[in-house]
Amino acid sequence: MRNFDKNRIESFILQNKSFYVKRDELLNPLLSGNKYWKLYALIEMPKERYKQLVSYGGTQSNAMLSIAALCHQKGWVFHYTCKPVADYLKQQVTGNLRKALDLGMVLHEVSHHDYHACVQQLRESCDADSLFVPQGGGDPIAQTGIEQLAVEIKQWQKKQSIERLNIVTPSGTGTTAFYLAQALPKCHVLTTAVVGDKAYLISQMEMLGALPKNLILLQGSKKYQFAKPYAELLDMYHDLLDAGITFDLIYGAVMWKVLLQHHSVMQDTVLYIHSGGVLGNVSMLDRYKNKGMF
Ligand SMILES: *Cc1c(COP(=O)(O)O)cnc(C)c1O
């Protein structure tokens, strides 16, 4: 499933500062960024192992699209449960939802009221032929793939003879940052909470185990509400684009804004792991346009 250069790491200049970026958004058009690594164990699994995958979450989620691409490739049925789809999206289905449906995803809308009970039931009702993947792919199954990502980083670090390395990547569930820090105890892994606040991120990560000491949670001067349009995030996205790389508007733009506020991090070599999500920009840019911000 890997269409691009293995372990492509490039130097990147932004605001006169020098970074490296691991271009994992190029791994595969539909299954890219950290979702590639989080689903790696399933990508490697024989088709015969499962008949269907069951998951739930937001209707423009990157994890949803990645799982849809995986299931399409494997011939597995993908059942996805969500809260009621917004009217504007129903009228014109775009972005990740459009692509996932085109890949054969079976969408189940349930009312806000029934959502939690329904998810609980999904989790309990999976049989041997079906796999339940929690929201955003936040699951121990991700560990195998993230460890593979860590191997690639270690190889590069050795080749470049970099002694002190700061690795940066944004967090939703924190699964990626957590397992990466665990697999790379000699590096610092820096992240920021994009979905909830810092306390929420810590609680999510603690479900995976005790927090590694080399995992650092950065906070910015301003807290952004998840997936909401902000003029300064759009500006950040454009600055990054002008510097030569497309990042996603939801996670990437926030992570870069926070990173640029922490000068001490840049005293050592910084490697940013591109977490993907670029295809989701279509629907986010539509929302910026609808608000007259773009
Ligand atoms: C899913 C996602 C994340 C968050 O990954 P976690 O492992 O849940 O922390 C970050 N960036 C992008 C673009 C994503 O799609």
Side-chain angles (χ1 to χ4, degrees), residues 27 45 47 69 135 150 165 168 174 184 192-193 230 254 266 272:
L27 284 172
M45 210 165 264
K47 288 184 170 54
Q135 180 162 21
L165 183 61
V168 178
L184 296 166
T192 195
Y230 289 91
V254 174
M266 289 171 257
Y272 187 103

Side-chain angles (χ1 to χ4, degrees), residues 34-35 38 62-63 136 170-177 248 251-252 275-277:
N34 65 11
K35 303 304 181 292
K38 291 171 83 171
N62 296 326
S171 278
T173 63
T175 312
T176 306
D248 86 290
Y251 293 93
S275 52

Side-chain angles (χ1 to χ4, degrees), residues 30 55 62 71 88 118 120-121 192 226 237 252 267 273 279:
L30 293 169
S55 191
N62 296 326
C71 289
Y88 73 88
C118 195
Q120 199 50 37
Q121 203 187 351
T192 195
F226 180 63
Y237 161 83
Q267 281 162 11
I273 312 297
L279 285 175

Side-chain angles (χ1 to χ4, degrees), residues 6 8 17 20 23 29 43 51 55 64 69 91 105 131 157 206 210 214 251 268 288:
K6 201 178 174 327
R8 177 163 160 187
K17 294 173 194 78
Y20 288 96
R23 304 290 306 271
I43 294 171
K51 286 199 171 64
S55 191
M64 172 194 77
Q91 274 156 24
M105 179 179 81
L131 179 70
Q157 185 184 3
E206 279 175 340
N214 57 325
Y251 293 93
D268 293 326
Y288 277 95

Side-chain angles (χ1 to χ4, degrees), residues 64-240:
M64 172 194 77
L65 175 59
S66 304
I67 298 171
L70 167 74
C71 289
H72 181 76
Q73 205 243 352
K74 295 284 184 189
W76 297 337
V77 181
F78 178 31
H79 289 282
Y80 192 74
T81 295
C82 66
K83 291 177 184 169
V85 178
D87 282 336
Y88 73 88
L89 186 56
K90 257 192 189 151
Q91 274 156 24
Q92 199 187 8
V93 180
T94 57
N96 288 354
L97 182 59
R98 171 80 274 150
K99 293 199 175 68
L101 290 171
D102 289 346
L103 289 163
M105 179 179 81
V106 186
L107 188 67
H108 305 273
E109 267 181 271
V110 298
S111 69
H112 288 272
H113 179 267
D114 294 338
Y115 186 70
H116 273 290
C118 195
V119 166
Q120 199 50 37
Q121 203 187 351
L122 287 177
R123 192 188 299 270
E124 286 158 8
S125 63
C126 273
D127 58 19
D129 286 336
S130 12
L131 179 70
F132 178 81
V133 182
Q135 180 162 21
D139 192 76
I141 206 163
Q143 187 172 3
T144 319
I146 307 291
E147 280 171 0
Q148 193 54 41
L149 166 62
V151 168
E152 294 193 355
I153 295 170
K154 259 190 251 178
Q155 282 169 351
W156 173 81
Q157 185 184 3
K158 195 169 166 209
K159 217 165 110 193
Q160 302 277 321
S161 310
I162 296 166
E163 197 152 334
R164 293 164 64 88
L165 183 61
N166 288 330
I167 299 166
V168 178
T169 202
S171 278
T173 63
T175 312
T176 306
F178 179 92
Y179 286 126
L180 205 50
Q182 208 168 56
L184 296 166
K186 292 195 181 119
C187 300
H188 286 127
V189 173
L190 305 109
T191 190
T192 195
V194 177
V195 172
D197 61 8
K198 187 173 169 179
Y200 173 77
L201 177 59
I202 291 173
S203 72
Q204 291 291 103
M205 286 171 157
E206 279 175 340
M207 288 198 263
L208 303 171
L211 290 197
K213 286 201 175 60
N214 57 325
L215 178 59
I216 296 159
L217 307 189
L218 302 177
Q219 276 179 298
S221 54
K222 176 171 172 181
K223 181 67 200 150
Y224 301 100
Q225 243 178 295
F226 180 63
K228 203 184 144 184
Y230 289 91
E232 62 258 51
L233 294 182
L234 187 63
D235 288 344
M236 187 73 251
Y237 161 83
H238 280 127
D239 287 351
L240 291 160

